[in-house]
Amino acid sequence: MNILDCIVIGGGPAGMSAALTLGRARRSVAIFDDGTNRNRVSHESHGFLTRDGINPQMFKDLGMNDLMNYPSISPYKDTVTEIEKLREAEVFLVKTKKHKEYLADKIILATGVQEVIPIPNARQYYGKSLFSCPYCDGWELRDQALLIIAYTEAQALHMGRLVYNWSKDLVIATNGAAISQNTKEIFLKRNVPIVTEPIKSLIGENGYLQQVVFTSGRQINRTGGFVSPSYYRSNQFVEQLRLDVHENGVLVTDGSGRTSQKNVYVAGETEKEGASSLLFAAADGSKAAIAVNTDLMLERF
């Protein structure tokens, strides 16, 4: 079995950017993607220069087409299920859902994260009229009647003040979380009410929000909004490879993608266990790939 220079796990902007950089450095690369990227529910992605407003799947298709220009890059539509370090050979054995096995000197984890939104039926609006990033989607919702779902006082303060830049017609809902009087007064001065009772359901059509129903039966009209979700890493490799993690969930790295385990690198949202833009993720992927190529050069020259 041939030993690849690097296996990239995850075909989002971080993973594709890493594979592209390594392919252009004439390194042998396999990139695995199973189509579970969290922005797959969105109709448009914004803020990426020359690709503003692009459909996420089209962005991925264009990226994969770029990779095909480099013969040393091999893309696979498959799910990596296990990574094992073969101590005697100092390489990684990667196993997939399709019962394939591959060997590689280096591993880049670019699997991203997934959101947790504990609001009944919120998922059917997510990516159409309910979003998580004002920088990505605030322009499209400008001056609309917006809902902000925040689960802590800190989130309410941050997201409320941030979204106010795009629309003054806001309602902040904390889904049961208590809010101090000081914070309430900050927003009431700007005619932004805070509702602390839990949300019962969201009402709308075809993914476009129309009303918010609270447990008391109270209803308010809203046409869109933003939510502060929690995030989790969608695979077991951080634990499997025994990577060091800070208390806040951020992976321990050297700032260039190298993790606490030799020859394991990380890029994009996987490192931070939180949301990132396409632009930042792509930059992280390129940075991690440069670290991989630098280490290969130093080891082999």
Side-chain angles (χ1 to χ4, degrees):
M1 188 184 301
N2 292 332
I3 300 176
L4 296 161
D5 290 322
C6 185
I7 285 179
V8 180
I9 305 175
M16 290 191 295
S17 180
L20 177 62
T21 300
L22 288 169
R24 288 182 56 79
R26 307 186 73 180
R27 301 300 185 182
S28 58
V29 185
I31 176 170
F32 292 88
D33 183 68
D34 60 6
T36 58
N37 49 298
R38 69 181 183 85
N39 71 348
R40 66 191 183 279
V41 301
S42 299
H43 286 199
E44 296 181 351
S45 294
H46 295 278
F48 199 107
L49 197 61
T50 78
R51 292 292 182 264
D52 188 50
I54 193 170
N55 176 272
Q57 186 57 52
M58 183 178 291
F59 182 90
K60 177 178 280 190
D61 292 342
L62 289 170
M64 287 296 179
N65 286 340
D66 285 346
L67 300 186
M68 297 308 296
N69 292 321
Y70 300 91
S72 66
I73 302 175
S74 299
Y76 296 97
K77 292 182 179 180
D78 199 354
T79 301
V80 173
T81 56
E82 185 179 348
I83 305 173
E84 180 184 352
K85 183 68 175 290
L86 303 181
R87 299 295 177 184
E88 66 278 5
E90 284 299 312
V91 297
F92 294 96
L93 173 64
V94 173
K95 300 179 181 180
T96 76
K97 192 174 182 179
K98 294 181 179 179
H99 306 292
K100 303 291 186 179
E101 295 186 349
Y102 305 85
L103 294 176
D105 276 339
K106 315 285 186 186
I107 299 289
I108 294 179
L109 299 178
T111 50
V113 295
Q114 298 293 332
E115 302 102 333
V116 177
I117 308 175
I119 299 293
N121 73 330
R123 281 284 174 185
Q124 69 186 68
Y125 302 96
Y126 199 61
K128 285 188 176 181
S129 59
L130 191 63
F131 305 93
S132 61
C133 174
Y135 291 105
C136 301
D137 300 288
W139 173 260
E140 284 66 37
L141 297 184
R142 66 192 184 278
D143 298 324
Q144 293 187 33
L146 301 183
L147 172 73
I148 296 174
I149 302 174
Y151 303 104
T152 67
E153 183 163 7
Q155 288 176 350
L157 267 170
H158 173 73
M159 191 66 83
R161 289 184 290 193
L162 180 61
V163 177
Y164 192 79
N165 184 62
W166 281 275
S167 177
K168 305 297 187 290
D169 188 356
L170 303 179
V171 173
I172 299 173
T174 67
N175 199 38
I179 298 294
S180 69
Q181 188 61 35
N182 181 61
T183 295
K184 290 179 181 179
E185 290 176 357
I186 288 173
F187 287 106
L188 285 176
K189 289 178 181 178
R190 293 166 175 80
N191 295 315
V192 176
I194 298 178
V195 182
T196 58
E197 67 177 285
I199 295 173
K200 181 179 180 181
S201 66
L202 304 178
I203 297 174
E205 292 183 3
N206 300 318
Y208 293 96
L209 184 64
Q210 295 175 346
Q211 288 186 323
V212 184
V213 182
F214 296 91
T215 52
S216 66
R218 177 186 179 185
Q219 298 183 11
I220 59 172
N221 296 327
R222 299 285 94 183
T223 59
F226 294 91
V227 60
S228 297
S230 58
Y231 297 92
Y232 69 95
R233 293 189 182 91
S234 54
N235 62 60
Q236 73 279 18
F237 304 129
V238 170
E239 293 78 17
Q240 197 175 91
L241 295 168
R242 298 181 181 178
L243 306 184
D244 290 344
V245 181
H246 294 291
E247 288 185 2
N248 61 359
V250 175
L251 277 171
V252 175
T253 72
D254 70 341
S256 295
R258 298 178 182 88
T259 70
S260 57
Q261 294 295 334
K262 184 179 179 182
N263 298 329
V264 179
Y265 307 74
V266 68
E269 296 175 337
T270 311
E271 175 185 354
K272 303 171 184 64
E273 200 180 30
S276 179
S277 70
L278 295 182
L279 198 62
F280 286 166
D284 285 346
S286 180
K287 181 171 63 176
I290 289 172
V292 168
N293 188 63
T294 298
D295 291 347
L296 287 170
M297 173 192 69
L298 294 174
E299 291 163 7
R300 298 177 182 179
F301 189 79

